[in-house]
Amino acid sequence: MTMSRLLDLDLRTGRSVIDRYLDNGYAHVRGMSSRFAGAVSAWLLVHQTEEGVRGDVVEIGTFEGRYFIALALALADDEKALGIDSFDWPSERTLDNFRKNCATHGARLDRIDAWKTNASTLTAEALRDRVGAALIRFFHIDGDHSPEPLLHDLSLATAVLHPKGLICLDDMLHPAYPFLVATVRDYLEAHPDMRVMAIIDREDIIGAAKFLLCRADAVPLYENALMKRYPQRHFTLGGDALGHHCVVLTPQPRLAVVD
Ligand SMILES: C[S@@+](CC[C@H](N)C(=O)[O-])C[C@H]1O[C@@H](n2cnc3c(N)ncnc32)[C@H](O)[C@@H]1O
């Protein structure tokens, strides 16, 4: 029998297919993103659908599909998910494992495209050719965590992003990559229309924090909805994101006690 650790009630997305995966599948698929981040991200896709934002999903750094499957299960009809990875780490079995995991956990293979390539060599044109006419409403970047590749992945995401879409950056503020946020700062300075809309805090050293970026004019679509949806996870002080206030969600919010 599969062991399950039930998702806290307030983290449920309300879509049984996603919640079943978060309960029974997520921890069994090898990967790194936290279940907390998986739940919030899948809910954001549900929210986008309810708000009429349509588009596809892309992830750079798909590995064996842990986080990707949560996103794929949240797709609306006729939408697709593209997973980009060299699929050669830790072995050449990774792509097969990814496909098996998608099938096992109900992510429809006819709506999934696995692109075995080095993301750093891709051009925006090549990515546009691959995704076709679709705009990308959620783009997760979790590939090479060094400055130039991250900047490159961010430029790919920006080129195909839906005007109301989200770019999700993994492993922000991770002790193993302490200065990677400097690259995000460079990107934000070069793209003054983009904001850090929210931060999904870490669960532990492996399930690290994610930044959610979107265009400034798309922020109102998400920020109040996130605070209303996750009152028990809301760090009410928020974050100072280069002069803009951003939502901070954390598994166990608390404030320092000062007498
Ligand atoms: C930390 S794992 C991703 C974990 C996964 N997103 C999850 O949440 O479970 C990083 C992945 O990025 C891939 N990767 C790293 N650099 C890459 C590059 N330049 N192009 C494509 N994939 C890359 C690795 O092969 C690896 O599978």
Side-chain angles (χ1 to χ4, degrees), residues 44-111:
L44 279 164
L45 280 160
V46 172
H47 174 67
Q48 287 180 326
T49 302
E50 286 168 354
E51 293 294 322
V53 179
R54 301 294 314 268
D56 288 356
V57 165
V58 173
E59 180 179 48
I60 295 178
T62 302
F63 189 44
E64 295 193 352
R66 169 187 280 199
Y67 179 83
F68 180 92
I69 292 169
L71 303 180
L73 293 174
L75 292 173
D77 291 345
D78 303 326
E79 293 175 339
K80 295 186 297 305
L82 168 64
I84 301 171
D85 202 299
S86 49
F87 290 115
D88 58 359
W89 176 84
S91 80
E92 289 293 338
R93 285 198 302 274
T94 303
L95 182 54
D96 277 349
N97 291 345
F98 165 67
R99 291 200 172 114
K100 275 185 213 147
N101 288 333
C102 288
T104 301
H105 298 290
R108 285 178 41 183
L109 291 173
D110 58 331
R111 290 165 63 179

Side-chain angles (χ1 to χ4, degrees), residues 4-223:
S4 70
R5 181 169 66 91
L6 295 184
L7 196 67
D8 291 339
L9 279 181
D10 71 303
L11 292 179
R12 296 193 172 274
T13 65
R15 297 276 178 91
S16 55
V17 66
I18 307 170
D19 293 335
R20 261 201 311 276
Y21 171 63
L22 292 167
D23 273 344
N24 301 317
Y26 199 87
H28 299 278
V29 175
R30 292 204 300 179
M32 291 78 176
S33 292
S34 74
R35 196 166 66 147
F36 178 62
V40 173
S41 305
W43 179 81
L44 279 164
L45 280 160
V46 172
H47 174 67
Q48 287 180 326
T49 302
E50 286 168 354
E51 293 294 322
V53 179
R54 301 294 314 268
D56 288 356
V57 165
V58 173
E59 180 179 48
I60 295 178
T62 302
F63 189 44
E64 295 193 352
R66 169 187 280 199
Y67 179 83
F68 180 92
I69 292 169
L71 303 180
L73 293 174
L75 292 173
D77 291 345
D78 303 326
E79 293 175 339
K80 295 186 297 305
L82 168 64
I84 301 171
D85 202 299
S86 49
F87 290 115
D88 58 359
W89 176 84
S91 80
E92 289 293 338
R93 285 198 302 274
T94 303
L95 182 54
D96 277 349
N97 291 345
F98 165 67
R99 291 200 172 114
K100 275 185 213 147
N101 288 333
C102 288
T104 301
H105 298 290
R108 285 178 41 183
L109 291 173
D110 58 331
R111 290 165 63 179
I112 285 170
D113 184 11
W115 196 358
K116 182 173 165 55
T117 187
N118 177 351
S120 298
T121 64
L122 292 180
T123 61
E125 290 66 36
L127 180 58
R128 271 199 210 96
D129 282 352
R130 189 81 177 204
V131 295
L135 288 173
I136 304 306
R137 62 173 167 130
F138 197 100
F139 199 122
H140 185 223
I141 297 179
D142 191 10
D144 187 333
H145 290 355
S146 24
E148 274 192 26
L150 174 59
L151 215 45
H152 178 75
D153 292 352
L154 272 162
S155 74
L156 292 176
T158 308
V160 293
L161 194 68
H162 187 292
K164 292 181 174 167
L166 292 166
I167 299 175
C168 182
L169 300 178
D170 189 56
D171 286 333
M172 293 292 104
L173 312 168
H174 192 301
Y177 317 100
F179 295 103
L180 203 51
V181 287
T183 301
V184 180
R185 187 194 178 106
D186 291 347
Y187 168 82
L188 290 167
E189 281 177 355
H191 296 82
D193 55 328
M194 297 297 286
R195 297 279 183 276
V196 177
M197 182 276 293
I199 296 175
I200 307 174
D201 194 20
R202 78 194 57 225
E203 211 164 60
D204 61 29
I205 191 80
I206 296 176
K210 295 189 193 289
F211 285 5
L212 289 161
L213 276 57
C214 67
R215 280 176 33 174
D217 56 8
V219 170
L221 181 67
Y222 299 107
E223 61 179 359

Side-chain angles (χ1 to χ4, degrees), residues 215-235:
R215 280 176 33 174
D217 56 8
V219 170
L221 181 67
Y222 299 107
E223 61 179 359
N224 284 332
L226 276 174
M227 290 186 280
K228 200 170 155 206
R229 177 65 186 73
Y230 297 108
Q232 290 139 283
R233 314 292 176 157
H234 183 210
F235 176 69

